[in-house]
């Protein structure tokens, strides 16, 4: 499932992120790339252990926790501390698949990357190119979202970032280990939850609504790995 999630960050949080990122020190994006993707990756990144990266990362993790659509769609077990990248002057990231397992920096924990996520930070009209292009069995999807909006997609997908030919593209990106590893099962739970939410506005006390909530939880109990 490829899902845009609107307004993960407020306009104030976007402005704060841009202010911090404009003053930040950027390093070569190869630092977090795997062997294959390093050859395709041409951009810059904020050092993972920098104060700016940690502070903005914590702000984003807080925003994600309180976002019902993100939680419903991702069913997060662990979220990788967000990283930040910068593309300009023709920089791009060729077609690749993200690494399956990531060590969470500074901890003994590893995370299986079930979902990949990008939060767009720059205004779309401030740069040309820079679309995130995700390939799945339904075709090729080109994504360029307003600042503060997030795109969530299965980490199993081939994807690339088109060259940025004007301006600067700033974004945050991270991975999620979901309680439900399988994209099909997770999508089914998301669809069921969405239907229940719709129903509960008008028929919250209907016995069938209660039954559907029960089915949701019993499926989650069957499929969740903690
Ligand atoms: Ni990637």
């Amino acid at each position: 499932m490829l899902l845009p999630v609107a307004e993960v960050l407020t306009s104030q949080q976007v402005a704060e992120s841009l202010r911090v990122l404009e003053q930040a020190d950027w390093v070569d994006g190869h630092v977090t790339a795997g062997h294959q993707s390093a050859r395709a990756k041409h951009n810059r990144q904020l050092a993972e252990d920098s104060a700016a990266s940690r502070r903005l990362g914590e702000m984003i993790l807080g925003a994600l926790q309180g976002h019902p659509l993100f939680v419903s769609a991702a069913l997060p077990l662990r979220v990788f501390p967000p990283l930040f990248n910068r593309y300009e002057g023709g920089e791009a990231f060729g077609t690749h698949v993200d690494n399956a397992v990531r060590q969470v920096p500074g901890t003994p924990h590893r995370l299986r990357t079930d979902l990949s996520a990008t939060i767009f930070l720059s205004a779309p009209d401030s740069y040309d190119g820079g679309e995130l292009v995700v390939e799945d069995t339904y075709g090729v999807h080109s994504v360029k979202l307003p600042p503060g909006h997030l795109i969530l997609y299965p980490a199993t997908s081939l994807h690339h970032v088109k060259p940025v030919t004007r301006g600067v593209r700033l974004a945050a990106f991270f991975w999620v280990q979901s309680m439900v590893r399988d994209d099909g099962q997770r999508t089914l739970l998301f669809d069921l939850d969405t239907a229940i939410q719709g129903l509960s506005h008008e028929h919250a006390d209907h016995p069938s609504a209660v039954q559907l909530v029960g089915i949701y939880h019993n499926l989650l109990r069957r499929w969740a790995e903690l």
Side-chain angles (χ1 to χ4, degrees):
M1 174 178 48
L2 180 85
L3 183 77
V5 182
E7 291 166 6
V8 168
L9 300 181
T10 64
S11 52
Q12 289 89 340
Q13 288 173 320
V14 170
E16 167 69 0
S17 304
L18 293 175
R19 194 184 61 75
V20 171
L21 294 178
E22 284 306 329
Q23 297 165 358
D25 290 327
W26 296 88
V27 299
D28 192 304
H30 289 158
V31 286
T32 58
H35 184 69
Q36 183 269 330
S37 61
R39 282 183 299 179
K41 189 175 186 183
H42 304 283
N43 67 1
R44 282 183 290 162
Q45 241 169 253
L46 214 53
E48 284 177 80
D49 54 356
S50 68
S53 184
R54 273 204 292 267
R55 189 155 69 82
L56 294 180
E58 278 168 24
M59 181 186 79
I60 289 173
L61 291 177
L64 293 171
Q65 274 171 15
H67 201 292
L69 183 60
F70 171 79
V71 172
S72 173
L75 297 171
L77 177 63
R78 296 196 186 100
V79 180
F80 194 90
L83 300 169
F84 298 85
N85 58 21
R86 177 184 180 109
Y87 294 81
E88 64 190 310
E91 286 174 329
F93 197 161
T95 302
H96 67 282
V97 168
D98 294 342
N99 285 1
V101 176
R102 294 243 163 213
Q103 181 83 35
V104 181
T107 76
H109 304 298
R110 283 180 298 176
L111 173 148
R112 186 187 63 232
T113 57
D114 296 321
L115 292 154
S116 297
T118 294
I119 300 179
F120 289 77
L121 294 172
S122 301
D125 58 1
S126 70
Y127 62 99
D128 289 335
E131 292 87 354
L132 171 68
V133 180
V134 181
E135 299 173 28
D136 66 18
T137 49
Y138 289 102
V140 177
H141 311 274
S142 181
V143 183
K144 187 170 183 175
L145 297 177
H149 293 217
L150 171 148
I151 187 78
L152 196 62
Y153 58 99
T156 49
S157 319
L158 282 170
H159 57 279
H160 65 273
V161 176
K162 285 190 174 174
V164 173
T165 54
R166 177 186 64 90
V168 178
R169 176 197 193 267
L170 295 170
F173 64 102
F174 56 90
W175 299 274
V176 179
Q177 181 172 340
S178 177
M179 291 188 286
V180 177
R181 172 202 294 234
D182 182 77
D183 185 61
Q185 292 174 336
R186 198 185 321 109
T187 301
L188 201 55
L189 286 168
F190 175 63
D191 289 344
L192 180 56
D193 190 31
T194 304
I196 290 169
Q197 297 299 327
L199 202 59
S200 69
H201 285 299
E202 290 175 39
H203 307 287
D205 299 326
H206 195 287
S208 296
V210 177
Q211 217 171 359
L212 284 171
V213 172
I215 292 168
Y216 176 87
H217 283 286
N218 290 335
L219 286 173
L220 183 58
R221 202 184 326 273
R222 179 172 285 241
W223 291 335
E225 308 161 71
L226 306 178

